[in-house]
Amino acid sequence: MKKTLNEGGFANLPEVGAEEEDTCIWEVMAAVQRGKMYSSGNPTNIANPIKDANVRIDLKTIDGRLTLFETTLCKKLSLDELVTQIELDPHGYLAAYNEKDIQLICCQADASTSWLVPSIVLARFVQSLKWSMEITFSWQFIRDRPKGKEVVKYELIVQDQDLPSSMEVMKVLNGTSNGFRIYNVYPRYFRVTGSGDVRFLEQVVQLVSGDLVLNHGNPEWWSFHDIDASDVSGCGELAGPMAIIVSEETPREFKEM
């Protein structure tokens, strides 16, 4: 369709009927209302920080799944509790978010559970690695709201090209090697929405790599060492799984439900 210009130099728009006009107005008003409901600083919203966090790494084959690493020992730090706030976000990824909604999660590198698998079970499982292998990394967060979605689980399957070889994993499980490296395990930055979903930050997908190590103590236990931990200040000596989370506010109605 050929466009014509009016006296002001702008393109003439096609005429809109009354019914279409009412629909457009309703959609605009709905969009504005949604923006008010979830926007930072809205007095009708209340903070909804992460209250608890834990991490789990599972190894899965055709025979089933074994949990290698699991910890419930994770610190939750707000920006107010951090001394070096600038170094936490050197690239300005968090500039668009309310500082009160941002937390640094720092987990211990050593698992809080022991590695106790009967030798006969482990021997069968090791053999199944010849046929298939999958590693999953799971974050679990607990918040106060919304009701029914207080627990948020975020599970990621490591891509095949980022996995160690099955032979490397077999050597660790057989006791002839201590550990292996996994690349691009999970995103450093992400957000938990007011409705209880987990999303990447829109402007960045920075993935964390780490070493998974089996410690031969009595009993044995696994460790996960974030190889890029030095890039994030604030966790101190804790070099286990760490992430920077935006936990979005929720409408006050969620608290009253």
Side-chain angles (χ1 to χ4, degrees):
M1 180 178 67
K2 184 178 180 180
K3 297 181 180 179
T4 60
L5 300 180
N6 57 28
E7 294 180 356
F10 298 98
N12 288 317
L13 299 176
E15 293 184 3
V16 178
E19 184 176 346
E20 292 174 318
E21 184 176 357
D22 290 342
T23 301
C24 291
I25 292 174
W26 185 87
E27 290 178 348
V28 170
M29 292 178 65
V32 171
Q33 183 63 31
R34 285 195 298 270
K36 289 181 178 180
M37 182 177 293
Y38 295 102
S39 64
S40 160
N42 188 331
T44 65
N45 287 351
I46 50 178
N48 194 27
I50 304 295
K51 297 292 186 179
D52 201 3
N54 60 69
V55 173
R56 195 173 83 181
I57 301 175
D58 292 333
L59 176 62
K60 184 178 179 182
T61 71
I62 57 174
D63 278 5
R65 177 192 301 236
L66 284 178
T67 297
L68 304 183
F69 172 89
E70 185 172 16
T71 184
T72 56
L73 300 175
C74 299
K75 291 172 60 177
K76 287 76 59 183
L77 301 171
S78 66
L79 290 190
D80 293 338
E81 298 174 286
L82 295 174
V83 178
T84 54
Q85 295 185 23
I86 297 177
E87 295 182 11
L88 179 65
D89 185 31
H91 303 291
Y93 298 142
L94 305 171
Y97 298 95
N98 188 337
E99 289 188 359
K100 295 181 179 180
D101 298 334
I102 300 169
Q103 291 173 282
L104 175 62
I105 309 296
C106 307
C107 300
Q108 293 193 16
D110 294 317
S112 57
T113 57
S114 301
W115 174 243
L116 300 171
V117 180
S119 57
I120 188 170
V121 173
L122 186 57
R124 293 196 192 105
F125 187 82
V126 168
Q127 292 303 310
S128 70
L129 287 168
K130 298 176 181 178
W131 312 111
S132 67
M133 184 178 73
E134 182 179 284
I135 293 179
T136 60
F137 185 101
S138 303
W139 280 104
Q140 181 172 283
F141 304 112
I142 299 176
R143 306 187 298 174
D144 288 338
R145 294 170 294 279
K147 187 175 182 180
K149 292 186 177 181
E150 295 91 344
V151 178
V152 179
K153 186 176 181 180
Y154 189 40
E155 183 175 283
L156 300 103
I157 300 174
V158 180
Q159 298 298 307
D160 289 344
Q161 65 268 23
D162 297 320
L163 292 172
S165 68
S166 59
M167 185 58 66
E168 289 179 274
V169 178
M170 291 172 70
K171 287 181 178 179
V172 175
L173 296 179
N174 285 329
T176 57
S177 181
N178 292 327
F180 50 83
R181 178 162 293 183
I182 314 172
Y183 295 94
N184 300 322
V185 184
Y186 67 92
R188 175 78 72 200
Y189 298 80
F190 53 91
R191 63 189 176 93
V192 184
T193 68
S195 58
D197 298 316
V198 178
R199 298 282 185 268
F200 290 167
L201 291 191
E202 291 80 356
Q203 65 270 51
V204 59
V205 179
Q206 180 181 343
L207 298 176
V208 174
S209 300
D211 291 326
L212 201 55
V213 178
L214 180 56
N215 302 280
H216 299 291
N218 187 20
E220 296 181 321
W221 77 97
W222 288 87
S223 299
F224 178 84
H225 300 278
D226 183 341
I227 63 175
D228 300 312
S230 60
D231 294 343
V232 179
S233 60
C235 285
E237 296 181 354
L238 297 179
M242 60 180 69
I244 300 166
I245 312 295
V246 178
S247 182
E248 294 183 351
E249 302 167 349
T250 55
R252 193 171 296 275
E253 299 90 82
F254 284 164
K255 183 178 181 180
E256 297 170 351
M257 289 176 60

